[in-house]
Amino acid sequence: MTLILTDTNDESQRYQFTLGEEVIVTTSTYELYDLVKDNPAEQLIIIGPNVKMETARVVAEHFRVVQPSLGVILVRTRLDVTTMSEALRSGIREVVSSDDASALVAASKRSLQISSQLMEVNKAAGSAMARGKILIVFSAKGGCGKTTLSVNLAHALASHTDSKVALLDFDLQFGDVAVALQIEPKKTISDAISMQTNLDELGIKSLMVNQQKNLDILLAPTNPTDIEFISTELIDNLLDSLRNSYDYIVVDTPPAFTDLILRVFDQADRCFLLTTLDMPAIKNLKLVISTLEALNINKSKLDFVLNRSDIKSGLSLREVEEMVGEVFTSHIPSSNEVSASTNRGVPLVMDNPRHPVSREIIDLAVRTDLKFRPIENKKRGIFGRKSK
Ligand SMILES: Nc1ncnc2c1ncn2[C@@H]1O[C@H](COP(=O)(O)OP(=O)(O)OP(=O)(O)O)[C@@H](O)[C@H]1O
Ligand SMILES: [Mg+2]
């Protein structure tokens, strides 16, 4: 079916006869816009000879932006250079003479072919876009709050942005996500060793512990000897499969650049680099930045997070930012509630979402989601926030 914009409804039969198919004729551009919305499969608009050039130009320019795959063909009684060049500028695909029915049929065919090619390209780009994003949480100094941030960030993403989230404990030797959430480690990453290259969606599902709606967790091995069998190839396969099943894959890390962690950095879409306000942590953050630079990790992926930002350490935020040469986009305050909630096995963002620590982490989760999924957020119209 083709959509026709004309100055009179009488023309429907003529177009129907020429094109050899059903047409929908309208004399109103507003109705045309509604028709396109209601018939998303339609990929062709023909604008009749008596519709003003100005109107044709506005319609073509509108659809060139909102639905580039849709083709617009203009019919004119006279084909002159001015009309042709104006049509070209506004994105009209072809201009045909009103007394040349076969030219109109041929132009329609060409336009529909272009439309279907464009739709294929859009579909491929769409599915590439839809792949899950890897978010790594790292600091080279131990005890900065990596596990606290990973666990809370994963929960915040799952409950406040309506995303499907996987939390991975890649601190393979000393991972404590299971302890922090009081999960009995019946299933761990060790179970992936026997699957190696066979990690399909079903295999992945069998490894993950379901924590709550939208959140699954992959725990670190309970047997340290398993670590030598966890190859970088296994990690690559795992991350690749996880991207198909989750919107976000949050990775908790050890305080060291192991081969595995470098692999994750390589594939990460966002890297949250943590520090606290003490000189050893700041020195290590500077080292991390230069190491990542040497490894050609794109700087635009880095996000700097200051944990326990309000403790009196004798160093001000400005001094630390000057030392590091970066701006901290999140400042997580210090609070006894953090360890108290960990001891209860419930992350603070779930236990008390209004707590200043929770607010900062939820804000980071929502900002991250907005960065990666602005369209979904717009569709939901809530910018990812669920009120609690
Ligand atoms: N903002 C905070 N306020 C108060 N305590 C915090 C805060 N962030 C983390 N902690 C506490 O600091 C300790 C270390 O935190 P965490 O285990 O998250 O660090 P880590 O970087 O994962 O450590 P590791 O390098 O050993 O894995 C924990 O007891 C945690 O409860
Ligand atoms: Mg940790």
Side-chain angles (χ1 to χ4, degrees):
M1 211 149 43
T2 300
L3 305 174
I4 317 278
L5 179 67
T6 64
D7 61 338
T8 154
N9 279 322
D10 304 345
E11 293 194 59
S12 78
Q13 271 194 335
R14 194 168 63 83
Y15 280 107
Q16 214 154 299
F17 179 74
T18 307
L19 299 170
E21 61 164 22
E22 289 270 317
V23 296
I24 307 176
V25 173
T26 175
T27 54
S28 144
T29 45
Y30 293 111
E31 196 185 30
L32 179 71
Y33 293 167
D34 285 340
L35 284 168
V36 171
K37 249 188 241 152
D38 296 341
N39 299 278
E42 300 316 327
Q43 290 300 322
L44 179 60
I45 294 173
I46 295 176
I47 300 180
N50 299 324
V51 175
K52 280 193 199 130
M53 188 62 205
E54 177 59 15
T55 309
R57 193 179 57 74
V58 170
V59 168
E61 281 175 354
H62 171 78
F63 287 114
R64 181 164 63 177
V65 175
V66 303
Q67 195 173 325
S69 63
L70 185 97
V72 177
I73 291 175
L74 182 64
V75 182
R76 295 284 93 165
T77 43
R78 229 162 40 93
L79 303 184
D80 54 51
V81 178
T82 319
T83 309
M84 300 296 254
S85 53
E86 203 175 332
L88 205 72
R89 269 201 304 274
S90 59
I92 288 169
R93 286 204 185 139
E94 300 205 29
V95 185
V96 296
S97 167
S98 54
D99 52 19
D100 192 346
S102 59
L104 181 60
V105 172
S108 302
K109 264 196 193 139
R110 279 193 294 271
S111 178
L112 286 171
Q113 213 161 18
I114 294 171
S115 295
S116 72
Q117 280 166 353
L118 284 172
M119 286 202 305
E120 278 304 308
V121 171
N122 287 350
K123 228 194 307 175
S127 54
M129 286 282 291
R131 298 207 80 210
K133 304 294 176 208
I134 296 173
L135 315 175
I136 183 172
V137 177
F138 186 76
S139 72
K141 182 176 170 286
C144 280
K146 295 180 293 298
T147 304
T148 305
L149 179 59
S150 324
V151 165
N152 280 281
L153 182 65
H155 280 80
L157 281 165
S159 358
H160 291 263
T161 73
D162 206 17
S163 313
K164 269 198 92 187
V165 183
L167 168 62
L168 317 185
D169 190 348
F170 274 3
D171 185 353
L172 298 183
Q173 221 169 353
F174 300 110
D176 43 19
V177 170
V179 176
L181 294 170
Q182 295 182 1
I183 303 172
E184 201 188 333
K186 281 189 191 154
K187 301 190 269 186
T188 72
I189 191 172
S190 300
D191 299 303
I193 297 168
S194 58
M195 295 185 209
Q196 288 292 340
T197 51
N198 246 345
L199 277 166
D200 53 13
E201 250 175 71
L202 219 64
I204 291 277
K205 260 218 142 57
S206 72
L207 301 173
M208 312 292 290
V209 178
N210 179 248
Q211 166 72 358
Q212 61 165 59
K213 181 176 172 259
N214 283 344
L215 176 61
D216 294 338
I217 301 180
L218 181 60
L219 296 172
T222 46
N223 184 353
T225 55
D226 286 346
I227 296 171
E228 62 182 293
F229 301 108
I230 300 174
S231 62
T232 46
E233 195 195 1
L234 173 66
I235 295 302
D236 285 346
N237 291 336
L238 189 71
L239 292 176
D240 194 50
S241 303
L242 285 164
R243 279 187 194 268
N244 294 331
S245 309
Y246 296 92
D247 298 311
Y248 294 108
I249 299 122
V250 179
V251 185
D252 186 21
T253 57
F257 278 119
T258 60
D259 278 356
L260 181 154
I261 293 307
L262 290 177
R263 211 68 173 201
V264 184
F265 264 111
D266 216 27
Q267 299 184 40
D269 299 280
R270 203 99 205 117
C271 312
F272 297 106
L273 302 181
L274 263 180
T275 187
T276 42
L277 281 167
D278 55 289
M279 279 316 281
I282 294 161
K283 182 213 88 189
N284 277 357
L285 177 60
K286 287 170 73 172
L287 253 167
V288 169
I289 297 169
S290 54
T291 307
L292 294 179
E293 207 171 275
L295 291 168
N296 275 329
I297 302 291
N298 193 336
K299 210 159 179 202
S300 65
K301 295 201 302 194
L302 309 184
D303 218 316
F304 296 90
V305 178
L306 183 60
N307 192 18
R308 315 188 94 162
S309 57
D310 53 350
I311 52 165
K312 304 273 171 281
S313 71
L315 288 169
S316 72
L317 171 67
R318 240 209 17 220
E319 281 170 328
V320 177
E321 287 186 335
E322 261 168 31
M323 274 189 257
V324 176
E326 301 292 345
V327 173
F328 291 95
T329 47
S330 295
H331 307 153
I332 304 172
S334 188
S335 165
N336 290 337
E337 277 302 303
V338 174
S339 33
S341 72
T342 306
N343 292 341
R344 285 193 294 275
V346 184
L348 196 56
V349 292
M350 301 309 292
D351 214 15
N352 183 0
R354 295 192 185 280
H355 189 282
V357 168
S358 305
R359 280 177 191 264
E360 196 64 24
I361 297 175
I362 292 168
D363 196 53
L364 180 62
V366 172
R367 269 189 283 129
T368 304
D369 189 45
L370 267 175
K371 186 169 292 204
F372 287 117
R373 306 194 310 163
I375 297 166
E376 275 89 341
N377 281 306
K378 228 187 242 170
K379 268 193 225 150
R380 288 201 295 270
I382 51 160
F383 282 80
R385 275 183 199 277
K386 269 186 195 168
S387 51
K388 280 253 158 183

